[in-house]
Amino acid sequence: MTSPAGFDDRYDDPDQLRDQVRLLLRYRSTIALGVVLGLLGGVMLVLLRAGSYTSTSEVLVRPRTDPFNTMGVSVDNQVSMGTEQQIALSATVAARAAKALRQPSRADALPADLRVTNPRDTQVLRFEYTAGTAQRAARVTNAFAQAYLADRQDRSRAMVTRMTGALEQQITVLTKRIDDKKADGSGTATAGLREQIAVLHKRVSDIRAYDTTGGEVVRRAEPAARPAGPGPAWLVAFGLIAGLVLGVVLAWLRSALEPRARSVGEVQAALGAPVLGILPEPDADGALLDMGRAGSRAEAYRTLAFRLRGGDGRTAAGTLMIVAPTASRRASGTTERGVETVAVNLAAALAESGDDVVLVDAAAHTHGLSARLPLSAGDTAPADLPEGTVVVDAGTAGRFTLCPDSRDIAGDDTAAVPTAAWALSRADSGRPTLFLAPPLLEHADGLALAQRVAGVLVVGGLDDIRRNDLKRVRELIDCLGGHIVGAVLQDGTRPGLLRRVMDSDPVRRTRERNASTTPTAPAEDDAGKPTVPVQDDTLSASR
């Protein structure tokens, strides 16, 4: 019961980039969360920038010509625009602007939103101020421009005052010398001094006539019509792109750190066996048996049975154990129900081909399996089968034999080890025998059964099975000398966020720990005495 060919489904693609995209798309909620966060960030930027306005004013800086400089110096070399830019940002100019705005207490805070630049190859200073309203931005910008011009004019006037003061001192000295000579009677020798005084008076007149204006405003700040920076559409688009990138990165991190097998390739790599089929997840409250009815599920089981019958010379007349690595981590027990569904429908699919199939219920968790299947009232089980064996009616698919565990007969809680050991001893009778086994990594009886059957079929959910569990199953069965024929995956709907939280490992362990600490009353027999379960070592002794 094996097939050397892998299952070629929609997930099996040699293009690694396409596989990565498909893996990322399995975390659509994470990508959507990143997009939502990006959009929220873009909206916040829109709201923050909606109250931010910038106004601009430009000032032409007039050069200060030295009245005593007789050399021809170019106008560009008479003004250091870098120095003027630093002066415009100085505390003195800020104090003047704050006083003009009637906010002297904010003199230290005003320059924080001011930007002064000098366009290349110009003698223009550009003042830009950003404020919460367009009117305030324009007022503060104009106040800084006027404060800078007033400060520059005051510095020019101070220079004129210093220069004229020095000249007037020289005139005073020369006038005293003239008066002294007149007193000595040598008034004719004062003509040269009078000429010097006349020259000094001429210089004082020229300096006082010097234009001390610092410059002029060539562009007055006006209230801005729209907020500064990119518009709302650009900010929202930027937030959308940033959110998409963030979502993809988060999805990639989740994919890299995800312990579960999320694709057929990961299952095949961890298990070392092909994936024989991807089956729909069974309904939580639906019937176990899908064979005998029209639909895609029945066709999927027929395809699985066809793959198991063909291959390397093995036929359906053999033994096959159907098992899950571990019990379901979900409270609904999806994995256990999935194993039951695969075992029952695979038996029906083999019976549809004319085989006399025997299904042995060796799982301790499938209490009452025969009660959930349609039984054939007119057919009786062969006499060589153990007591309690029933015939299941699969409709148009035919009939197969079910050997239930001992609990269906005696009502005890022991595992169905005697039934499995009996079926193994008669496996060469020509009947295809399927064993529904308990989780392999949680029950030692499953390991004992795995080394004696012809093949092991691993069943698990594509969103529930873990790579480490598959690797452990592979190692254990290889050590026991067993053979894994393949895996069957169930591709169902992923549970919601609340269900995933309730089914997480910490919550599940807490729930199991609380259940283990709850005292339970022992079962009693007909005489009212407690009964003790007896461990049957028939299968263990046969190893």
Side-chain angles (χ1 to χ4, degrees):
M1 294 184 179
T2 185
S3 174
F7 182 75
D8 185 15
D9 70 329
R10 66 182 187 275
Y11 297 100
D12 190 9
D13 195 305
D15 189 354
Q16 295 183 0
L17 179 60
R18 185 174 300 176
D19 290 342
Q20 288 293 328
V21 172
R22 285 171 175 165
L23 286 177
L24 292 178
L25 290 179
R26 298 187 70 88
Y27 300 97
R28 290 185 291 270
S29 59
T30 303
I31 298 177
L33 176 62
V35 172
V36 170
L37 292 177
L39 287 176
L40 290 178
V43 172
M44 290 184 63
L45 287 177
V46 171
L47 296 178
L48 291 176
R49 298 295 295 179
S52 178
Y53 294 85
T54 300
S55 292
T56 303
S57 177
E58 293 181 351
V59 173
L60 175 62
V61 180
R62 178 174 297 175
R64 285 197 295 247
T65 306
D66 188 358
F68 298 101
N69 188 3
T70 60
M71 301 178 62
V73 181
S74 64
V75 175
D76 294 340
N77 293 332
Q78 294 173 7
V79 179
S80 175
M81 296 306 298
T83 303
E84 298 299 327
Q85 186 175 349
Q86 294 300 319
I87 293 174
L89 293 170
S90 64
T92 303
V93 175
R96 283 179 175 271
K99 185 177 179 179
L101 294 170
R102 298 180 181 179
Q103 297 177 345
S105 60
R106 290 182 51 84
D108 296 334
L110 283 178
D113 297 320
L114 176 66
R115 184 168 175 259
V116 180
T117 59
N118 170 227
R120 187 177 179 181
D121 299 332
T122 65
Q123 288 183 283
V124 174
L125 286 183
R126 180 175 295 160
F127 292 79
E128 295 177 346
Y129 192 84
T130 302
T133 61
Q135 290 75 13
R136 175 171 174 76
R139 285 181 54 221
V140 176
T141 303
N142 290 325
F144 267 100
Q146 294 296 335
Y148 165 73
L149 292 177
D151 179 77
R152 196 163 190 271
Q153 185 174 19
D154 288 348
R155 286 187 284 112
S156 298
R157 288 176 177 175
M159 181 188 68
V160 170
T161 301
R162 290 193 304 270
M163 296 174 65
T164 56
L167 293 175
E168 288 175 351
Q169 288 180 2
Q170 296 181 25
I171 292 174
T172 302
V173 172
L174 293 175
T175 303
K176 186 177 180 181
R177 289 176 61 185
I178 292 174
D179 293 339
D180 292 342
K181 288 186 178 184
K182 285 181 178 181
D184 294 341
S186 56
T188 58
T190 60
L193 296 177
R194 293 180 184 277
E195 291 179 0
Q196 294 181 17
I197 292 175
V199 172
L200 292 178
H201 278 296
K202 178 67 169 59
R203 288 186 178 180
V204 170
S205 299
D206 292 340
I207 292 174
R208 287 176 177 173
Y210 172 66
D211 187 3
T212 59
T213 305
E216 58 181 329
V217 178
V218 296
R219 177 184 176 186
R220 183 176 177 81
E222 298 292 341
R226 64 178 64 183
W234 285 100
L235 292 177
V236 171
F238 174 76
L240 179 63
I241 295 175
L244 180 61
V245 173
L246 175 63
V248 171
V249 172
L250 293 178
W252 180 82
L253 289 177
R254 286 194 60 187
S255 176
L257 301 177
E258 178 63 66
R260 293 173 295 181
R262 307 308 302 269
S263 66
V264 171
E266 292 183 0
V267 173
Q268 294 181 152
L271 192 61
V275 174
L276 302 179
I278 295 183
L279 305 176
E281 190 177 44
D283 296 334
D285 301 325
L288 292 177
L289 195 59
D290 291 319
M291 292 297 299
R293 295 181 295 180
S296 59
R297 296 191 181 190
E299 293 299 328
Y301 288 112
R302 290 189 184 96
T303 304
L304 176 60
F306 176 78
R307 288 194 171 94
L308 289 172
R309 291 176 62 88
D312 55 358
R314 299 174 187 239
T315 63
T319 55
L320 178 68
M321 183 177 76
I322 305 173
V323 66
T326 59
S328 177
R329 293 177 173 83
R330 303 181 189 176
S332 58
T334 308
T335 301
E336 293 84 347
R337 184 174 180 83
V339 175
E340 296 174 8
T341 304
V342 172
V344 170
N345 286 279
L346 182 57
L350 293 174
E352 189 178 37
S353 301
D355 295 321
D356 186 8
V357 183
V358 177
L359 174 61
V360 178
D361 182 8
H365 63 273
T366 56
H367 179 65
L369 180 59
S370 60
R372 289 177 285 159
L373 294 174
L375 304 181
S376 178
D379 297 333
T380 58
D384 58 341
L385 297 179
E387 183 181 357
T389 301
V390 295
V391 177
V392 178
D393 185 5
T396 58
R399 295 171 177 80
F400 63 92
T401 304
L402 171 64
C403 295
D405 59 22
S406 58
R407 294 173 300 178
D408 285 338
I409 304 172
D412 59 17
D413 291 331
T414 60
V417 179
T419 304
W422 175 90
L424 285 172
S425 64
R426 292 164 174 78
D428 55 352
S429 60
R431 297 190 184 98
T433 305
L434 306 181
F435 292 89
L436 177 59
L440 192 63
L441 300 179
E442 299 178 1
H443 295 270
D445 294 335
L447 295 175
L449 184 61
Q451 65 179 343
R452 300 195 58 191
V453 295
V456 177
L457 181 64
V458 180
V459 180
L462 191 57
D463 287 332
D464 192 48
I465 196 167
R466 296 180 179 247
R467 293 190 296 269
N468 289 337
D469 293 342
L470 293 175
K471 292 178 181 178
R472 290 173 58 193
V473 169
R474 177 182 180 181
E475 293 173 356
L476 289 174
I477 293 181
D478 288 345
C479 292
L480 294 173
H483 173 65
I484 302 178
V485 299
V488 174
L489 303 178
Q490 293 171 338
D491 188 12
T493 302
R494 191 178 182 187
L497 177 61
L498 179 60
R499 173 55 60 189
R500 294 200 301 271
V501 172
M502 296 302 297
D503 294 338
S504 61
D505 289 343
V507 176
R508 183 172 57 88
R509 285 194 295 266
T510 302
R511 187 167 56 245
E512 293 175 353
R513 184 165 55 252
N514 294 337
S516 62
T517 56
T518 304
T520 56
E524 297 182 355
D525 57 9
D526 295 338
K529 297 180 180 181
T531 59
V532 179
V534 179
Q535 178 68 32
D536 197 322
D537 296 333
T538 306
L539 183 58
S540 300
S542 63
R543 290 184 237 181

